Amino acid sequence: MDSGAGGLSVLYEVLKTCDIESTVYYGDNARAPYGNRGKRDLLYLAEEGVDKLRAEGVDAIVFACGTLSTCVLFEMKRIYPEIRFYGTFPPLESYAMSGENYLAVTTRATAEAMKKSFHCARIFAAENLASDIEKNLFSLSEVRLENHLKNLSAEPGIVILGCTHFNLIKNTFRAYFPNAKIVSGAENTAKMIASDCRYIYNNVFQGENEQKNLETRENCQKSNLSDHFCLKKYGVLTTFASKIENYLKIMPNKSPNLYFCDKKVKFIGSEWKTNLLAFANICSNLTE
């Protein structure tokens, strides 16, 4: 779950990396972004989102939002002890401890939370950048970093993206900081979930259907992942336009179960269609 479409970048990494059967994505786009909200508001929004996902029968919930992860993740673990929670955190600690020349670009709430743990951390709060990305979700080239990253005194060697919305314009960050390495927490979240999936699989299922799972992984790795974002039992849809056209013809008013790399994906919430379109865009490599 995320405040909007930023978490789709985490969903993409999870589906590529993890041995899971199905996922449900909830994006609260209508109230995005969360980055400028207070703690009480974030708790309310998190509980509401978690309850929507629990109604779908999920076993684990990923906060694909840096603000929710840094501000309310531990409270949610106490409120819902039966659910496994994962957060998406900017990989700040490793770079802060190394003494490297880095800059973390985050939302305001994430910056305030992280500065409590890393008092001397180099963090820049781009307060309105997530909102700008959400408004220009299908025209990301309109987002101008120079309007959001003002008064930076030095060129960093590493730029840490502290909001999953920022992942959607990673190439824009690369162009703005041509000599910097651009990193985010989405890959680390996917690796953590993948590790847990292997642990649960090995200890609970004891290798049952191991060969079948191995073959599925190999087939997914060999194939073009964007071609797998299609309605099961219907032909492979190779372009963004054909994906959306066929989808709308078959199920215009209800979010269907789609398949990405042989894994079921369902979008819920009032803005499910927006997130579906955006995710198909990501899979078709048209967002950057």
Side-chain angles (χ1 to χ4, degrees), residues 36-281:
N36 296 330
R37 295 179 180 270
K39 181 71 171 285
R40 180 179 296 180
D41 201 9
L42 291 172
L43 283 169
Y44 170 80
L45 294 170
E47 286 192 50
E48 186 179 87
V50 168
D51 287 340
K52 289 180 183 295
L53 291 170
R54 289 177 72 209
E56 296 290 330
V58 302
D59 300 312
I61 293 176
V62 180
F63 279 170
C65 169
T67 298
L68 289 180
S69 300
T70 54
C71 296
V72 300
L73 178 63
F74 295 109
E75 285 84 352
M76 291 299 104
K77 288 182 176 181
R78 288 196 293 267
I79 296 171
Y80 303 95
E82 74 282 5
I83 297 288
R84 295 198 312 278
F85 283 92
Y86 300 92
T88 305
F89 298 96
L92 176 61
E93 183 174 1
S94 58
Y95 294 105
M97 299 294 288
S98 69
E100 296 185 69
N101 177 25
Y102 72 89
L103 174 69
V105 182
T106 72
T107 64
R108 185 182 70 191
T110 299
E112 291 173 354
M114 299 193 77
K115 285 179 179 179
K116 294 178 181 179
S117 300
F118 303 95
H119 300 291
C120 298
R122 293 184 285 278
I123 301 175
F124 182 87
E127 295 193 12
N128 299 313
L129 180 54
S131 178
D132 197 4
I133 292 170
E134 192 76 32
K135 291 176 182 176
N136 293 282
L137 199 53
F138 301 101
S139 56
L140 292 175
S141 61
E142 299 297 319
V143 178
R144 297 284 185 262
L145 282 182
E146 59 268 23
N147 296 332
H148 300 278
L149 305 181
K150 298 177 180 178
N151 302 318
L152 293 178
S153 58
E155 179 81 9
I158 298 167
V159 175
I160 302 170
L161 304 183
C163 171
T164 54
H165 276 84
F166 301 169
N167 296 344
L168 300 181
I169 58 167
K170 188 175 287 187
N171 281 350
T172 305
F173 273 94
R174 292 191 182 107
Y176 194 84
F177 298 102
N179 300 315
K181 176 182 178 182
I182 311 298
V183 299
S184 73
E187 295 86 353
N188 289 342
T189 299
K191 289 176 182 177
M192 182 184 302
I193 297 170
S195 178
D196 279 2
C197 288
R198 285 192 295 270
Y199 175 81
I200 293 170
Y201 177 82
N202 291 333
N203 287 274
V204 176
F205 297 102
Q206 299 178 350
E208 183 180 356
N209 296 324
E210 183 173 354
Q211 184 60 36
K212 179 180 178 181
N213 287 340
L214 178 61
E215 292 172 357
T216 297
R217 287 196 299 273
E218 290 177 347
N219 290 337
C220 289
Q221 290 168 357
K222 292 176 183 177
S223 61
N224 182 342
L225 294 178
S226 65
D227 286 347
H228 283 266
F229 191 82
C230 60
L231 291 167
K232 201 169 187 180
K233 298 182 180 178
Y234 292 86
V236 172
L237 311 176
T238 56
T239 68
F240 172 68
S242 63
K243 289 182 177 78
I244 300 308
E245 180 181 355
N246 281 272
Y247 153 70
L248 291 175
K249 286 180 181 178
I250 298 166
M251 197 75 71
N253 299 313
K254 182 179 179 182
S255 178
N257 292 320
L258 303 172
Y259 285 77
F260 178 87
C261 201
D262 294 330
K263 296 160 187 173
K264 185 187 295 184
V265 186
K266 182 179 180 180
F267 294 85
I268 66 170
S270 62
E271 302 295 323
W272 64 266
K273 191 174 293 187
T274 296
N275 290 317
L276 167 63
L277 296 173
F279 191 61
N281 220 10

